Amino acid sequence: MAEFNAQEYVAGLVEKARAAQKIAEGFTQEDCDLMTAAVTYELTKPENIKMFAEMLVEESGMGIPADKEAKIIGKVWGSYIQMKNEKTVGLVSDNKETGMQAYAKPMGVVAGIMPVTNGEATPIVKSNMALKTRNAIILAPHPKCKKLNVVIVDKIRAVLKKLGYPEDLVQTCAPEAVKLETSQQLMKQCDFILATGGEALVETAYSSGTPAIGVGVGNCVSIVTGKTPMKQVAELITKSKKFDNATSCSTENNIIVFEDCYEEFVKEMEAHGAYMCREGSEDKKKLQVAMWPNTPNDHVLNRAIVAQNAEKIAEIAGIEVPAGTCVLLAEEDGASLEHPFGGEKLSPVSGVQKAKDLDEAIAKMMACLEYQGKGHSCGIHTNDPADVDKLASVAPVTKCVVNQAQCLVNSGGWTCGFPVSMTLGCGTWGGNSVSHNATFKDLLNYTYVSREIPNWKPEKIEDIIDADVIAKVNA
């Protein structure tokens, strides 16, 4: 058998993608709208959703089928609704006042780098983003969802073929070609990279020499002030933490609770299926070793616990928990290799810290984010707008969530205004190039046209500088 040559393999994919994308450059807005509508309809038929969800759980060993079905609906429908009536072809903006017009253009061939944690919805959403913008896309799946990825892409290609459009607008890597070097070659040979994955993958994308958008590390922190009903707080947090066994990078990895309501919080969380591992207990020690076998030498998670349910993680750790336990809590006081519960966990496990007031809670949140997750998201449970203002004014994150379940909100959802996305930009805080949830608009280049307008130059400097400023300078 001939040795696999990633450079040549990817070059073949890119050649077909460029030929298809050349045809797509002549598409009308109606063509783009038809393709995305048809893909959304076909790929979210109930029988397809069920198959995708079950296949991913079986192939990856992670997550919950029913939650993955909900995720497909939420992300595919949501992202489609956002793009449905938007212009992406030709003249998309015409400002008579400034004399400026904007014409939207495709970028070319996009490399869609994808994680296993959202392997069911990401290929559909990213493909639709490319089709809406007249780009071609080549998807690179995680090794643990490569079989499902082929099934999804084949269905998208079948839709395109049926409608008379080039199938090669959407391609993926054959299962035997899903290798690190293949992804690296895609990043080098394509025109743009849309990357969702771990820190190392995103760093590779940004250092590839190809323009890229990537997402930073997730380590969401939520603050509990006790100013809202604790039952509601517990319902929201447990709902978020147990959804799809916390495959999302947006779950509450750390919860900082005011001291005066701490025990009430613990009691209510336990009533909702959480199990608390107290500081200094054998349970906490066992859980820590089970999650980070090399602690305190590194923060590498034990793969056996990733996206597993709480009872299985407890079993792996050798902890006895009540039947029906859905979340594991561990008291922590810091965020570092010596305090690993202050970091990301990719599982229904949360670190819990005490704070005497909002200032201390914010300081502890900052410590968690400096350790991991800077730029991603934070949350607060409060009925005081001043609390929100204080947190949002200083938090080095791109998303601040108020009285909501972070996992179901940060990447967009039916009850919030965040754009629905599979790639959550974390700004320069997270080493990213954007500080918003990436959408189809991020796959467009623009040509701006300028026309002459009436001269708007002021007669003298005093016409644009306030008199009090001039007086201060001249004093």
Side-chain angles (χ1 to χ4, degrees):
M1 184 177 177
E3 184 178 350
F4 177 73
N5 187 312
Q7 183 176 2
E8 290 182 4
Y9 176 76
V10 170
L13 297 178
V14 172
E15 182 179 8
K16 291 190 291 183
R18 293 203 186 285
Q21 197 277 321
K22 191 69 177 176
I23 296 171
E25 288 186 3
F27 286 174
T28 64
Q29 188 67 65
E30 290 71 24
D31 290 321
C32 297
D33 295 345
L34 173 57
M35 289 188 296
T36 52
V39 166
T40 300
Y41 174 73
E42 177 64 29
L43 275 288
T44 61
K45 286 181 176 178
E47 62 270 25
N48 285 334
I49 292 175
K50 182 177 177 62
M51 176 177 65
F52 299 156
E54 291 177 350
M55 278 191 68
L56 184 54
V57 171
E58 182 179 354
E59 184 177 1
S60 68
M62 303 177 186
I64 302 168
D67 290 346
K68 291 189 178 299
E69 290 183 38
K71 190 185 299 184
I72 294 171
I73 289 291
K75 300 311 175 190
V76 179
W77 285 11
S79 60
Y80 171 70
I81 290 169
Q82 286 175 179
M83 69 173 66
K84 181 179 179 182
N85 297 314
E86 296 287 335
K87 292 182 178 180
T88 55
V89 178
L91 180 64
V92 297
S93 176
D94 189 1
N95 190 319
K96 302 298 184 185
E97 184 178 348
T98 63
M100 296 297 295
Q101 293 178 318
Y103 288 78
K105 313 283 180 65
M107 290 181 166
V109 179
V110 177
I113 313 298
M114 303 179 298
V116 64
T117 48
N118 294 307
E120 69 294 289
T122 304
I124 309 172
V125 172
K126 288 190 175 183
S127 295
N128 254 356
M129 289 170 64
L131 295 172
K132 178 71 175 182
T133 52
R134 296 182 293 164
N135 291 293
I137 190 166
I138 303 172
L139 300 170
H142 187 279
K144 286 191 175 182
C145 61
K146 58 189 179 183
K147 295 177 183 176
L148 170 62
N149 200 68
V150 170
V151 171
I152 290 175
V153 170
D154 282 350
K155 284 191 175 294
I156 295 174
R157 288 170 62 87
V159 171
L160 296 177
K161 183 177 182 179
K162 189 171 187 177
L163 297 176
Y165 296 111
E167 297 171 78
D168 289 336
L169 285 173
V170 180
Q171 298 180 78
T172 189
C173 304
E176 63 272 16
V178 175
K179 304 174 185 290
L180 177 60
E181 52 264 43
T182 303
S183 295
Q184 291 173 334
Q185 280 299 320
L186 278 170
M187 294 185 204
K188 289 181 180 179
Q189 296 188 40
C190 290
D191 300 305
F192 189 76
I193 303 167
L194 189 60
T196 311
E199 184 177 11
L201 182 148
V202 174
E203 286 180 357
T204 301
Y206 279 123
S207 62
S208 67
T210 301
I213 287 179
V215 58
V217 175
N219 183 28
C220 302
V221 182
S222 273
I223 296 173
V224 176
T225 66
K227 297 176 183 179
T228 57
M230 201 59 76
K231 181 179 179 181
Q232 172 188 304
V233 172
E235 287 175 350
L236 290 168
I237 292 178
T238 52
K239 182 178 181 181
S240 177
K241 284 302 298 182
K242 68 185 182 182
F243 183 81
D244 203 23
N245 288 339
T247 55
S248 170
C249 58
S250 289
T251 61
E252 290 83 347
N253 272 276
N254 286 279
I255 307 162
I256 301 172
V257 187
F258 282 17
E259 290 176 351
D260 58 7
C261 65
Y262 185 82
E263 291 304 328
E264 181 189 1
F265 167 79
V266 174
K267 182 178 179 181
E268 199 62 57
M269 287 293 290
E270 289 176 340
H272 283 78
Y275 181 82
M276 170 63 85
C277 298
R278 297 283 186 171
E279 180 63 46
S281 68
E282 285 300 314
D283 283 351
K284 182 188 175 184
K285 293 175 184 177
K286 290 178 180 179
L287 181 59
Q288 180 169 309
V289 171
M291 295 189 65
W292 300 282
N294 300 324
T295 186
N297 297 317
D298 61 44
H299 194 90
V300 178
L301 280 165
N302 175 7
R303 291 186 179 183
I305 65 93
V306 173
Q308 304 303 311
N309 65 54
E311 289 184 87
K312 182 172 181 180
I313 295 172
E315 182 183 347
I316 291 171
I319 301 171
E320 290 188 15
V321 299
T325 295
C326 62
V327 176
L328 299 176
L329 303 175
E331 290 185 328
E332 188 61 280
D333 187 24
S336 63
L337 289 177
E338 288 73 31
H339 299 92
F341 286 102
E344 188 178 37
K345 304 165 191 70
L346 289 175
S347 60
V349 179
S350 293
V352 183
Q353 301 188 36
K354 296 179 184 177
K356 65 177 182 292
D357 54 25
L358 186 56
D359 288 333
E360 185 177 26
I362 290 175
K364 291 193 172 188
M365 177 201 73
M366 293 288 201
C368 289
L369 295 177
E370 285 294 339
Y371 179 51
Q372 285 186 327
K374 197 173 181 181
H376 201 290
S377 311
C378 73
I380 187 168
H381 294 271
T382 183
N383 60 7
D384 188 346
D387 291 345
V388 179
D389 182 65
K390 178 178 278 192
L391 175 61
S393 295
V394 299
V397 298
T398 58
K399 292 167 289 296
C400 182
V401 174
V402 182
N403 299 330
Q404 298 172 88
Q406 288 209 64
C407 167
L408 305 178
V409 170
N410 289 339
S411 58
W414 301 120
T415 59
C416 73
F418 288 137
V420 178
S421 175
M422 306 307 297
T423 304
L424 312 188
C426 296
T428 56
W429 295 303
N432 298 169
S433 59
V434 298
S435 56
H436 59 260
N437 290 359
T439 69
F440 67 96
K441 294 179 181 179
D442 293 289
L443 297 186
L444 288 169
N445 285 322
Y446 295 91
T447 297
Y448 295 95
V449 176
S450 167
R451 287 184 171 82
E452 186 176 15
I453 58 175
N455 192 324
W456 53 281
K457 178 186 175 184
E459 289 295 323
K460 55 187 183 301
I461 188 65
E462 288 77 9
D463 292 337
I464 59 173
I465 304 297
D466 291 343
D468 63 330
V469 174
I470 295 174
K472 289 176 181 178
V473 173
N474 291 335

